[in-house]
Amino acid sequence: MLDDAIKSQLRAYFERIVSPITLTATLGADEKSQEMKALLEDVAAQSDKISLKLDGGDPRVPSFGIARDGEAPRASFAGLPMGHEFNSLILALLHVGGYAAKESPEAIEQAKGLSGDFVFETFFSLSCQNCPDVVQALNLLAALNPRVKHVAIDGALFPAEVESRKVMAVPAIFLNGEPFGQGRMGFEEILAKLDVNAGAKAAEKLADKKPFDVLVVGGGPAGAAAAIYAARKGIATGVIAERFGGQVLDTMSIENFISVPHTEGPKLAAALEQHVKAYEVDVMNLQKASKLIPAGADGFVGVQLENGATLTAKTVILSTGARWRSMNVPGEQDYRNKGVAYCPHCDGPLFKGKRVAVIGGGNSGVEAAIDLAGIVSHVTLIEFDAQLRADAVLQAKLRSLKNVDVLVSAQTTEVHGDGEKVVGLSYKDRKTGAAHTLDLEGIFVQIGLVPNTEWLKGTLALSPRGEVEVDARGATSLPGVFAAGDCTTTPYKQIIIAMGDGAKSALSAFDHLIRMAPEAVAA
């Protein structure tokens, strides 16, 4: 099943396995079972430390577990871990086999010290770029702690279970049979949710940090670029990130990043983090800013975090980015992740054969409709304006699809559900005023971004759209505070523009520092 090049790579990877491991498979006569058998045979053949048993008794067919010899499996896959999940399989084999994880020593000790019994189940789709982070994190947790078990379930292969457990968005995580989380979660984020004292411990640790020369708030492309440019000046640099990578983590395909013809968001985000950590940058992940405190008599700007800690710096760079804009209509929040979705790549496979709507006629909306048309039975694209705003080539492709209807001058007014899932939506014809209702099972919202700046209101100048107002150098209305990227008034929200913004703001912050009074610089 695997080609010779991949087999060669696997042999090199598997040399890192310390302890022998066993793959125990539960297979049937179906096509997917035979594909799984071929995959596992290929994998086992690449190392004498991997053995394969075909006599598993798991109720999910096909499935397989990974265990150290003599132990029961703690990490399992129900479904074929290919596509985005192939790396999850390789990492699970390595970690169960004793290969050291790259997580921090503190996080590993925290994982080993968890008390209680934890049985995790993660529903994923092979087209979901957010799912591998969750699958890999929980597999690692299971490898480190004998009281943790995890099974990753391909929702497309187990539709009855998806239906019965009301899974309408992936990744969907269950702990001991109850919902635990939805969407991308990393190793440390999961640990923080399991360890009830994690927040207090983090606040105490952060409170002891000395003032920074430059404190970057946000870990997306703008924040990463700012941190790198600041650190290269040899000044004390810190980064607060709610999740390192930001909105890029939710971007499936990137084809306009100059000199890189094609990449994927998670891959770019990982490269950004690796580049930042190559310098002496204090990266404080899973931290959300809640208040900006203007510089006082001591000259330090303060950033208060949700956990109660406050960090200080001589200069601050705001790069908090943006998030998907909501429709703000009745029913939207009630049925979020119950039919209302924002990532067609992640959640599209869960709507196979169903009727869906896409809200938004820009590039994102039209691309989503095109992608979904190959999966679902019918797509209705709804655009508020009198015409679509997407590129002409995308519009031509969209209109060539027989299972797509396009509605323009249409305003979505309400999302309808039956208490558990979406069953339709209402919209108004903006030309005639007539009200209409569509029967459908999914709604994908693609109407642009809103800046993550609510916490800054009343502190510095914001535009009517909530963007941080900046000048040509990235300076805000507060001395010593700069801003970059999608949270600012800089036009054209693009990754490459955000990176340039971040570099510019760091250079401006450095220029501000060297022009400060000598006593302030020495503080």
Side-chain angles (χ1 to χ4, degrees), residues 199 203 242 286-291 303-309 455:
E242 191 173 352
L286 305 181
Q287 303 301 328
K288 186 174 182 179
S290 61
K291 185 178 181 182
V303 177
Q304 185 174 310
L305 308 180
E306 278 195 347
N307 62 20
W455 64 288

Side-chain angles (χ1 to χ4, degrees), residues 203-484:
E204 184 177 350
K205 185 177 179 180
L206 291 170
D208 292 335
K209 291 186 180 291
K210 295 180 180 179
F212 294 93
D213 290 319
V214 174
L215 179 61
V216 181
V217 185
I228 290 167
Y229 266 70
R232 286 176 61 86
K233 293 295 185 181
I235 55 181
T237 305
V239 176
I240 304 166
E242 191 173 352
R243 60 169 189 163
F244 205 97
Q247 187 79 5
V248 167
L249 290 167
D250 302 323
T251 304
M252 182 64 177
S253 180
I254 300 170
E255 298 178 342
N256 58 356
F257 191 72
I258 309 305
S259 84
V260 181
H262 178 269
T263 188
E264 295 178 351
K267 185 182 294 186
L268 177 59
L272 289 174
E273 186 169 12
Q274 184 179 10
H275 196 174
V276 168
K277 290 183 176 179
Y279 296 94
E280 293 185 8
V281 176
D282 189 346
V283 178
M284 295 157 278
N285 208 6
L286 305 181
Q287 303 301 328
K288 186 174 182 179
S290 61
K291 185 178 181 182
L292 181 67
I293 306 169
D298 60 1
F300 292 118
V301 180
V303 177
Q304 185 174 310
L305 308 180
E306 278 195 347
N307 62 20
T310 298
L311 301 172
T312 58
K314 295 171 185 173
T315 61
V316 167
I317 297 174
L318 304 171
S319 57
T320 50
R323 63 187 183 277
W324 289 115
R325 186 180 298 277
S326 297
M327 295 182 292
N328 292 320
V329 300
E332 179 180 14
Q333 294 306 316
D334 295 333
Y335 292 98
R336 190 183 180 100
N337 296 325
K338 297 177 181 179
V340 176
Y342 300 84
C343 180
H345 301 294
C346 301
D347 302 329
L350 299 175
F351 294 84
K352 183 178 181 179
K354 298 181 178 180
R355 298 177 64 87
V356 304
V358 172
I359 312 300
N363 282 350
S364 295
V366 172
E367 287 173 352
I370 293 170
D371 288 346
L372 289 167
I375 302 171
V376 305
S377 65
H378 188 270
V379 179
T380 301
L381 186 142
I382 300 176
E383 165 58 32
F384 182 85
D385 205 350
Q387 59 186 11
L388 301 183
R389 293 167 286 107
D391 294 343
V393 64
L394 293 175
Q395 292 191 43
K397 173 64 176 177
L398 180 74
R399 297 186 187 280
S400 73
L401 301 174
K402 295 181 179 180
N403 63 335
V404 175
D405 288 334
V406 177
L407 301 176
V408 295
S409 297
Q411 179 181 359
T412 304
T413 55
E414 186 173 359
V415 173
H416 302 292
D418 62 5
E420 294 184 348
K421 62 183 183 300
V422 165
V423 298
L425 65 74
S426 293
Y427 71 92
K428 181 179 71 173
D429 186 319
R430 297 180 58 236
K431 291 182 178 178
T432 66
H436 302 274
T437 299
L438 289 175
D439 295 328
L440 42 78
E441 294 152 293
I443 301 170
F444 290 84
V445 183
Q446 302 282 289
I447 54 174
L449 302 171
V450 58
N452 296 315
T453 57
E454 290 86 353
W455 64 288
L456 296 169
K457 288 180 179 178
T459 307
L460 45 63
L462 301 177
S463 74
R465 295 171 57 89
E467 299 165 324
V468 179
E469 293 185 350
V470 291
D471 65 12
R473 301 173 66 255
T476 73
S477 60
L478 279 181
V481 178
F482 302 84

Side-chain angles (χ1 to χ4, degrees), residues 36 62 64 76-86 88-89 121-136 139 150-158 162 167 169-174 182 345-347 349-350:
M36 180 177 287
F64 67 94
S76 303
F77 289 89
L80 208 63
M82 299 301 288
H84 288 296
E85 293 299 344
F86 188 65
S88 300
L89 168 61
E121 299 163 295
T122 301
F123 287 85
F124 69 89
S125 72
L126 292 177
S127 60
C128 170
Q129 74 270 28
N130 292 326
C131 295
D133 276 9
V134 174
V135 172
Q136 292 167 22
N139 281 344
H150 174 236
V151 56
I153 306 163
D154 182 356
L157 290 188
F158 299 91
V162 166
V167 175
V170 291
I173 313 165
F174 292 81
Q182 188 83 51
H345 301 294
C346 301
D347 302 329
L350 299 175

